[in-house]
Amino acid sequence: MLKVLKFGGSSLADAEQFRKVAAIVKSNPANRYVVASAPGKRFPDDIKVTDLLLECYRLARKKESIDGPFGKIEDRFRGIIADLGMNLSLESEFATIRLVIKNRASRDYVASRGEYLNSMILAEYLGYAFLDAEDAIFFTDDGSLDLVRTDESLQVLLSEADRAVIPGFYGSMPNGTVRTFSRGGSDITGSIVARASKADLYENWTDVSGMLMADPRIVSDPEPIPCITYRELRELSYMGASVMHEDAIFPVREAGIPINIRNTNCPEAPGTMIVASDEQATKPPHHVTGISGKRGFSAIHVEKSMMNGQKGFGRRVLQVLEEHGINFEHLPSSIDTMSVVVNTAELEPERDAVIKALEKSVAPDHIDIVNDLALLAVVGRGMVRAHGTAYRVFKALASVDVNVRMIDQGSSELNIIVGIDAVHYEKALEAIYKEFVK
Ligand code: ASP
């Protein structure tokens, strides 16, 4: 058994959190590779080390002093080392980094130093080797991850280190400069390390006990999701539920390695298991796995009599959107109308141009744009070929007087998406949750 553990910023924010992390890592000899984030927030108004570093970068570019934020960064690391009673000095590292930032280091180099320094401390504290991500994770010239080269070199490096800490969030470009993933990217590093080490499990340790069935800001005390498939996760996170960086799924999913989301502050909780297939998943406790949703959608209704007989109508409508750089989310249609649901933020700047282009391209009888829509996704492997799910969703919505403006069921039967007026978003979500869970 081999496990890769990734600890997020809040799990490594101070010495107390480091102690919890060490206890978790030492609790099982299978815990061989650890990926670390930079120190995150210790309290709600705290500033993450990565944000302090980005502030240093901004100041250095304006040729202003970085002493303020850089001093805070040094103090945080010095504090962790002192509170852990360690005999480690990072003073020469601080001096080098400070100098490089002043001499106009790249933004990615600066942003990556939190993970670099924190991993040095954690490696020393655990008695594990420190394996710099710069030597192990590679990007291509266009900035995308070079998974083949990364896999190859990581496999060699990991085979030489029985136990190691690897900083998350960054790697290097073909010319040797540092490049980071987008924010929250340590999740991706963890996934890459799990894949290269052929781990049996990728544990992603954070500050929540796994994924919840619904947004806890709306539904009070929602139940956790014990097990979810990658496909369900994708549907739920596309609709706003977020638990880890989206790009972290691909490397492990392809290798068939499950992910376990765990809580550093509550290690006894089993968290959420994310698995590749329905066969690997445990039986869901409820008919639906989760409910998520998003506001900020608009529907463009295009009406034309005898539209269904016109070949290429749909293509031309979509082409107009494509030419204006707008993604479409859903495409409900009826015999003489076609609606395209899009993100309001994408549509708004192009709105008039899109209407004009549609008039020219498909000469509709009528075009109407409805704003302020919210979409709700009811997702679950338990829904596939089960009777009555849609009925229960609509019954719940009717019971709180919410009008359904659009319906879309994916052909996989894994989800039902309903469009409603955004003002009803909260009560609609609560009503659906209650219908299936309580
Ligand atoms: N430290 C980085 C961030 O704050 C990356 C990470 O934590 O995953 O985004």
Side-chain angles (χ1 to χ4, degrees), residues 6-10 36-40 48-51 111 114-115 168-169 181-188 245:
K6 179 258 167 179
F7 291 92
S10 60
S37 280
K48 290 179 172 189
V49 164
T50 308
D51 290 314
E115 271 67 15
F169 192 37
F181 294 108
S182 56
R183 295 298 301 264
S186 300
D187 287 336
I188 311 173
H245 197 298

Side-chain angles (χ1 to χ4, degrees), residues 25 37 44 51 70 77 95 113 127 131 134 173 185 250 258-259 286 297 304 312 364 392 400:
V25 174
S37 280
D51 290 314
F70 202 78
F77 286 117
R113 293 305 88 184
L131 206 166
E134 221 181 297
M173 292 291 286
F250 172 71
I259 306 174
H286 300 286
F297 292 101
K304 181 163 179 136
R392 291 176 70 185
V400 288

